[in-house]
Amino acid sequence: DAGVTQSPTHLIKTRGQHVTLRCSPISGHKSVSWYQQVLGQGPQFIFQYYEKEERGRGNFPDRFSARQFPNYSSELNVNALLLGDSALYLCASSVFGRDETQYFGPGTRLLVL
Amino acid sequence: RKEVEQDPGPFNVPEGATVAFNCTYSNSASQSFFWYRQDCRKEPKLLMSVYSSGNEDGRFTAQLNRASQYISLLIRDSKLSDSATYLCVVNNNNAGNMLTFGGGTRLMVKP
């Protein structure tokens, strides 16, 4: 069975641009969460979506937005990129989105120049 | 103060050694606890869940002390392949499925 998939694997952008990252959860999983991992730190929670509705939002600016589609895949959008947005962006999926094991995708490595 | 605190290490140990990692968390409402393993430039992978009664999986033993808000991971008979960063993770289930990660503890097992 396929695990969580993310695209693209790597991305280079310049300050001020916007970026869209994509995630497909494990088949049968209805919840997707997004995390940002800056080098040398643990992942930080950005958003959780369940059944296409936002279930949780971390302490990130409004430049960060996300959505979930009817097939449960998800997009994370970041506008007006800053150098500090350079990080590994991880997507995690779970079945119901509450008190469950989350399975992480390989991540998208974003570099902002 | 960070919500989940870990000693960043690195812990450099010889093969066959026993090594212990500790972690403290600040949110007394946290209800689920985990250890994840992350290899260099890879995604985190669940190592084990942590229960108040303690749990063991082969060479790995995890313990939770709710009163002290303290979580531990013990690795016995270390292997070279255990070299990785170990992330202590808590989930305040009242907030959905939001995982809060510690900064990770780096382990290097040497021949």
Side-chain angles (χ1 to χ4, degrees):
Chain A
D1 285 343
V4 178
T5 59
Q6 292 186 243
S7 63
T9 55
H10 296 81
L11 203 51
I12 299 175
K13 292 284 190 179
T14 56
R15 280 178 297 175
Q17 288 188 309
H18 74 272
V19 68
T20 297
L21 310 181
R22 295 178 175 84
C23 170
S24 291
I26 292 170
S27 177
H29 285 197
K30 299 181 178 181
S31 178
V32 169
S33 298
W34 287 94
Y35 293 82
Q36 180 197 64
Q37 187 173 24
V38 173
L39 193 63
Q41 298 180 19
Q44 270 198 289
F45 173 76
I46 310 175
F47 287 110
Q48 183 198 359
Y49 277 78
Y50 174 68
E51 288 282 15
K52 300 179 287 295
E53 292 191 3
E54 184 181 298
R55 272 285 191 86
R57 173 184 285 254
N59 188 23
F60 279 80
D62 291 344
R63 300 184 294 108
F64 289 76
S65 64
R67 55 180 176 166
Q68 186 177 33
F69 299 100
N71 67 352
Y72 303 109
S73 68
S74 178
E75 282 182 356
L76 175 70
N77 294 284
V78 187
N79 293 325
L81 285 166
L82 302 174
L83 297 180
D85 294 331
S86 297
L88 177 67
Y89 288 85
L90 295 160
C91 172
S93 80
S94 59
V95 180
F96 296 115
R98 192 171 178 90
D99 190 18
E100 295 177 282
T101 298
Q102 294 187 40
Y103 298 90
F104 284 84
T108 293
R109 198 165 295 276
L110 172 65
L111 177 61
V112 182
L113 300 175
Chain B
R1 183 186 172 190
K2 291 182 181 178
E3 282 196 58
V4 180
E5 297 217 50
Q6 297 181 248
D7 180 345
F11 284 59
N12 295 300
V13 303
E15 268 187 295
T18 295
V19 61
F21 305 140
N22 303 317
C23 160
T24 57
Y25 62 95
S26 61
N27 187 346
S28 59
S30 299
Q31 298 182 29
S32 301
F33 308 88
F34 310 92
W35 284 99
Y36 275 73
R37 170 194 169 128
Q38 187 171 28
D39 293 292
C40 189
R41 302 184 72 80
K42 298 284 190 181
E43 73 273 23
K45 293 188 177 178
L46 179 67
L47 180 66
M48 57 198 306
S49 301
V50 189
Y51 306 110
S52 295
S53 55
N55 49 303
E56 187 174 312
D57 183 2
R59 298 181 293 108
F60 299 84
T61 301
Q63 292 276 357
L64 166 65
N65 184 323
R66 285 187 184 270
S68 302
Q69 295 181 203
Y70 171 96
I71 306 163
S72 66
L73 176 68
L74 184 75
I75 305 175
R76 291 181 298 279
D77 189 22
S78 299
K79 311 290 184 192
L80 295 176
S81 58
D82 293 335
S83 297
T85 295
Y86 290 83
L87 297 161
C88 177
V89 186
V90 304
N91 185 353
N92 176 357
N93 298 336
N94 289 333
N97 214 19
M98 184 188 90
L99 299 181
T100 302
F101 286 78
T105 298
R106 191 167 171 211
L107 171 65
M108 299 188 67
V109 181
K110 303 194 171 180

